[in-house]
Amino acid sequence: EAQVTQNPRYLITVTGKKLTVTCSQNMNHEYMSWYRQDPGLGLRQIYYSMNVEVTDKGDVPEGYKVSRKEKRNFPLILESPSPNQTSLYFCASSHRSGRGINEQFFGPGTRLTVL
Amino acid sequence: AQSVTQPDIHITVSEGASLELRCNYSYGATPYLFWYVQSPGQGLQLLLKYFSGDTLVQGIKGFEAEFKRSQSSFNLRKPSVHWSDAAEYFCAVGAGWNSGGSNYKLTFGKGTLLTVNP
């Protein structure tokens, strides 16, 4: 089954404790992206990756890191989480189209709470 | 910079009534446009997309949307709403074909929450 998986689905942590949220897709997609969703703000893009070893900032990259060492994986790293990073996080992937953005397939989400 | 405005934060309709959710976008070149739906506690599912061609686009679950370049709009419609359509709906805009391939950001609106009364 074609899908985007995220782990963990739920995470409660404390300020300053480094964490990683994993994202994996099995559709051989070149493009992957991370979003955060907050009430009243919709989805905001954190980082995206056009292909292996190619990443770029989205609209709200502060406090986050990503890496793309393999095509299928795109982990999101919070080196020193703070309470304002409490949010619902979505990973997404799509084929890269030379003509522009393409439809994205979303993972189920990771609900993160930072105390 | 690209942006999306969904003017209605919350809409309530009766089951069987027609529905129109508004979306206005700002983008300097030809946009690619999307509507996604998010049911409570779920991820996002693509309803439909517009890349080019016919400005009236058909999607899943009986939804359609019309691209109006002159109004910078991409409104979502459904002739008869079902109780299962209650969800949050997001419009999104991204770089289109003549963007030069340099902008692969997808920008979402803040969403419209749809409530369906029996």
Side-chain angles (χ1 to χ4, degrees), chain B:
Chain B
Q2 60 204 58
S3 66
V4 176
T5 301
Q6 294 180 246
D8 304 304
I9 296 173
H10 188 191
I11 284 182
T12 300
V13 299
S14 298
E15 192 168 15
S18 63
L19 172 70
E20 182 169 29
L21 301 182
R22 295 183 291 164
C23 171
N24 293 98
Y25 69 89
S26 174
Y27 187 69
T30 301
Y32 284 178
L33 295 157
F34 307 84
W35 275 100
Y36 284 86
V37 60
Q38 184 180 29
S39 298
Q42 303 296 313
L44 280 82
Q45 181 183 23
L46 180 71
L47 281 177
L48 48 77
K49 62 189 179 188
Y50 172 78
F51 284 177
S52 65
D54 193 346
T55 56
L56 186 62
V57 180
Q58 301 298 321
I60 62 171
K61 304 185 180 188
F63 284 93
E64 67 178 25
E66 186 171 12
F67 171 58
K68 293 186 177 180
R69 184 187 300 274
S70 61
Q71 298 178 20
S72 298
S73 70
F74 188 57
N75 294 347
L76 182 71
R77 301 193 294 247
K78 187 169 184 178
S80 178
V81 170
H82 188 262
W83 64 266
S84 61
D85 293 325
E88 191 158 21
Y89 292 79
F90 293 95
C91 181
V93 65
W97 68 272
N98 63 348
S99 68
S102 62
N103 177 9
Y104 284 82
K105 290 174 57 175
L106 187 64
T107 300
F108 284 82
K110 295 181 178 181
T112 297
L113 181 64
L114 174 66
T115 298
V116 180
N117 287 334

Side-chain angles (χ1 to χ4, degrees), chain A residues 11-19 63 78-86 112-115:
Chain A
L11 179 60
I12 300 174
T13 189
V14 296
T15 299
K17 185 176 182 181
K18 181 179 179 180
L19 66 92
L78 285 72
E79 294 269 4
S80 183
S82 62
N84 64 13
Q85 293 178 297
T86 293
L112 173 65
T113 301
V114 183
L115 302 175

Side-chain angles (χ1 to χ4, degrees), chain A residues 31-95:
Chain A
Y31 181 97
M32 297 186 75
S33 182
W34 276 103
Y35 298 87
R36 61 177 289 174
Q37 183 179 22
D38 302 288
L41 296 178
L43 281 86
R44 294 178 292 169
Q45 194 171 39
I46 303 170
Y47 270 95
Y48 64 96
S49 170
M50 299 297 293
N51 214 327
V52 176
E53 302 292 1
V54 181
T55 63
D56 206 351
K57 296 178 180 178
D59 293 318
V60 288
E62 295 77 21
Y64 304 95
K65 286 176 58 178
V66 293
S67 68
R68 187 88 182 275
K69 293 184 170 58
E70 305 167 282
K71 196 172 187 178
R72 65 183 293 126
N73 297 322
F74 190 45
L76 179 69
I77 303 158
L78 285 72
E79 294 269 4
S80 183
S82 62
N84 64 13
Q85 293 178 297
T86 293
S87 188
L88 179 59
Y89 291 87
F90 287 101
C91 181
S93 72
S94 70
H95 278 300

